[in-house]
Amino acid sequence: MTWKWINVICTLLSLCMTSVVVSDEDPGANCADFNNTTWLKHRQTKGVHVQYLLLTRQNANCASFFTQDCLNHTQKHTAHFNSTLPTKVIIHGYSALGRKPSWVSGLAQALLEKEDANILVVDWLSGASYAYNQVVDNYKEVAVQISILIKQLTTSGINLESFHLIGISMGAHVAGFVGTLFAGKLGRITGLDPAGPMFKNADPYDRLDPSDAMFVEAIHTDSDSFGISIPVGHVDFFINGGLDQTGCVRSSFATIFIYFPVYGYVICDHMRALHVYMSALNGSCPLYGFPCSSYEDFLAGRCTTCDDPFNNICPQIGLLKNSGITMSPLPIHGKVYLLTTSEVPFCVHHILIELKVSSLKKSAVVQVTLVSMQDIKTEQKLHLQTGKTIYKKVVGHPEHLCKIESIHLKNIGALLYRQGNVHFEYICISKIPKMSRLDKLCVENIKIGRRAPWSHHFIQVC
């Protein structure tokens, strides 16, 4: 696609590329906001109407409009927009009810707290509030309009590398198409659970993919419903496997169109990517991902380092350059996995449970419980089988390994059909990735009977 084609569309949309005008903010005027027309009016509106809201550290609590002016051939800037700072563009996605996104302010505030930047919020509610398939037809038009704005800003001396597009759901694919129009020269694109329906099987040209920016990352939290299940970036973070999130009610895709009152529950998994990203920006804890071929292999303890392909650097969610990766060239479709809790700040420490069992005549089920000094518990059931002696399992615990006070085991198998007595040659818990010998705790020679609890207390100093 060439800029000649974009210019044709620009004319059709009654846009121009001669100037960019940022409205002068009157201290007594109302703050700029999303288009507040009703859902019915949105559906009656022809075409896609895009407007931009500007937030900076100077007007963090009162957005101003950022608009293109086809009549004024001079450049106007308020004191708020600073062309020497990076520009972050927030793009919302499909809006079933035509409501303005309630999360925009929180995301903008988190970004501004972390980095001094221009925050441009894209309001395309008028084109995002139809039937889903119609909205899919609109997303490229929105991308073209955003591209025209960015193109004009570059004529003012702003470098393409300074743009960071953050797209939520279908907004991630809008960002991807903007990147396509600039031949991948944008600095960064972050996709927060990129939309899956009608995009999973699309050509990479028509969806987010690694060629859309110098660095493309995606966070997946609802891959089996609203989100896309395939990797679409240089690094793809699959939170809790990218499927059902802890604390969210499982619902079918169709529920959204039938039970509007439970809309918030239906999209809980889908929106978790946004909330995890905001939490990472707030810096409550580092959220690292571990490269692995599958979530099952990750949970089975087969991927406990970041040696391959990231040269022993675990990618981190947030604003670190290239998610902290220093290797060159960047990997393509690097799938990484991590666990979280169900609530903000979502922090967990990844702990590997390793144990060796003496030969069993029957299968057994053992419950392993890790208890911290603050009495925070993490429980995990292990299904022991005949013919297998070594077991590994990755779990998430809110406290650091050195704050785990005790470990508890209990044989909870059925009375008649499972192993009565279980002998563990050893059981170890270790922090991953392991950084030193102090990141591993072991107990040897443990014998437990059916329904008989066993516990061991550690002496730890952080």
Side-chain angles (χ1 to χ4, degrees):
M1 183 174 298
T2 65
W3 275 105
K4 179 179 179 181
W5 182 86
I6 294 176
N7 286 329
V8 172
I9 290 186
C10 177
T11 302
L12 294 175
L13 295 175
S14 298
L15 297 174
C16 74
M17 298 173 58
T18 55
S19 66
V20 175
V21 178
V22 183
S23 61
D24 292 318
E25 186 178 11
D26 179 357
N30 293 329
C31 300
D33 201 355
F34 277 76
N35 192 324
N36 62 358
T37 56
T38 64
W39 184 48
L40 180 60
K41 288 183 178 179
H42 275 308
R43 294 181 62 82
Q44 294 174 342
T45 302
K46 293 183 179 180
V48 177
H49 300 276
V50 179
Q51 67 175 13
Y52 306 94
L53 311 178
L54 173 67
L55 289 163
T56 69
R57 286 184 173 179
Q58 283 65 49
N59 67 320
N61 297 312
C62 186
S64 58
F65 284 112
F66 192 99
T67 60
Q68 289 172 286
D69 187 344
C70 293
L71 300 177
N72 190 339
H73 292 271
T74 61
Q75 186 92 8
K76 292 177 62 180
H77 293 285
T78 65
H80 302 318
F81 188 86
N82 188 337
S83 60
T84 66
L85 295 177
T87 299
K88 300 187 179 299
V89 183
I90 299 174
I91 310 171
H92 68 78
Y94 173 65
S95 177
L97 305 180
R99 297 173 180 171
K100 72 175 185 179
S102 59
W103 46 263
V104 166
S105 177
L107 176 57
Q109 300 298 325
L111 288 167
L112 289 172
E113 184 70 25
K114 196 73 175 178
E115 182 178 0
D116 192 6
N118 306 300
I119 308 294
L120 286 178
V121 179
V122 180
D123 172 8
W124 63 288
L125 280 179
S126 64
S129 304
Y130 299 89
Y132 185 83
N133 63 318
Q134 290 180 279
V135 177
V136 172
D137 290 338
N138 290 336
Y139 87 98
K140 285 187 178 179
E141 185 176 332
V142 177
V144 168
Q145 294 196 36
I146 296 171
S147 301
I148 291 168
L149 178 65
I150 293 176
K151 178 69 174 180
Q152 181 56 37
L153 287 172
T154 61
T155 65
S156 307
I158 300 177
N159 196 305
L160 283 176
E161 293 184 20
S162 70
F163 285 93
H164 176 192
L165 276 57
I166 303 170
I168 293 83
S169 189
M170 197 183 298
H173 300 300
V174 174
F177 197 67
V178 174
T180 294
L181 297 176
F182 286 103
K185 294 180 181 179
L186 295 176
R188 185 172 191 164
I189 294 177
T190 299
L192 301 180
D193 208 38
M198 299 183 70
F199 287 99
K200 178 181 177 180
N201 297 318
D203 188 277
Y205 177 85
D206 297 317
R207 60 162 172 81
L208 182 64
D209 82 282
S211 69
D212 292 332
M214 298 178 69
F215 179 66
V216 178
E217 62 189 337
I219 300 175
H220 303 261
T221 53
D222 194 24
S223 298
D224 57 348
S225 187
F226 292 100
I228 200 165
S229 58
I230 60 175
V232 293
H234 293 101
V235 177
D236 287 72
F237 296 88
F238 286 84
I239 309 292
N240 300 310
L243 300 172
D244 302 311
Q245 301 301 309
T246 56
C248 289
V249 177
R250 297 187 65 180
S251 302
S252 66
F253 183 87
T255 306
I256 187 173
F257 302 105
I258 303 173
Y259 302 110
F260 284 162
V262 297
Y263 180 69
Y265 292 99
V266 174
I267 64 170
C268 178
D269 289 340
H270 193 41
M271 296 304 292
R272 181 61 61 84
L274 168 69
H275 297 299
V276 169
Y277 186 66
M278 289 170 58
S279 181
L281 293 175
N282 289 331
S284 302
C285 62
L287 294 173
Y288 297 104
F290 295 84
C292 204
S293 59
S294 71
Y295 186 50
E296 291 71 25
D297 282 350
F298 169 65
L299 292 180
R302 300 188 184 102
C303 308
T304 59
T305 72
C306 294
D307 295 340
D308 186 23
F310 300 118
N311 294 336
N312 208 33
I313 295 178
C314 295
Q316 182 177 344
I317 296 175
L319 291 181
L320 286 178
K321 183 179 180 180
N322 297 345
S323 294
I325 301 171
T326 58
M327 63 182 298
S328 181
L330 289 169
I332 301 295
H333 297 155
K335 298 171 66 174
V336 300
Y337 297 89
L338 67 156
L339 302 172
T340 68
T341 61
S342 60
E343 298 177 346
V344 175
F346 304 109
C347 304
V348 298
H349 294 272
H350 292 87
I351 295 176
L352 175 66
I353 300 174
E354 301 177 81
L355 53 88
K356 184 176 182 180
V357 186
S358 298
S359 298
L360 299 175
K361 295 181 179 180
K362 298 180 180 180
S363 61
V365 179
V366 174
Q367 181 172 284
V368 181
T369 305
L370 306 180
V371 184
S372 72
M373 298 176 183
Q374 304 298 322
D375 200 35
I376 300 174
K377 299 179 181 179
T378 295
E379 295 182 347
Q380 180 66 54
K381 290 182 181 178
L382 297 178
H383 294 263
L384 311 181
Q385 307 164 8
T386 58
K388 183 178 180 180
T389 58
I390 304 294
Y391 295 85
K392 296 182 180 181
K393 192 73 173 180
V394 172
V395 299
H397 195 285
E399 296 281 359
H400 192 279
L401 178 70
C402 67
K403 291 187 177 180
I404 293 180
E405 187 177 53
S406 60
I407 182 171
H408 303 257
L409 298 177
K410 189 175 183 180
N411 182 358
I412 59 174
L415 289 175
L416 298 178
Y417 302 105
R418 295 186 183 273
Q419 182 76 31
N421 299 309
V422 180
H423 174 241
F424 296 93
E425 295 186 28
Y426 65 80
I427 181 168
C428 296
I429 56 174
S430 56
K431 173 184 176 296
I432 61 169
K434 188 178 178 182
M435 306 300 291
S436 71
R437 64 180 182 84
L438 299 177
D439 289 338
K440 188 171 185 177
L441 304 171
C442 295
V443 185
E444 298 179 346
N445 194 22
I446 305 163
K447 296 181 180 180
I448 57 174
R450 186 183 288 118
R451 301 289 175 181
W454 173 92
S455 63
H456 176 81
H457 289 262
F458 299 107
I459 299 176
Q460 286 289 297
V461 178
C462 282

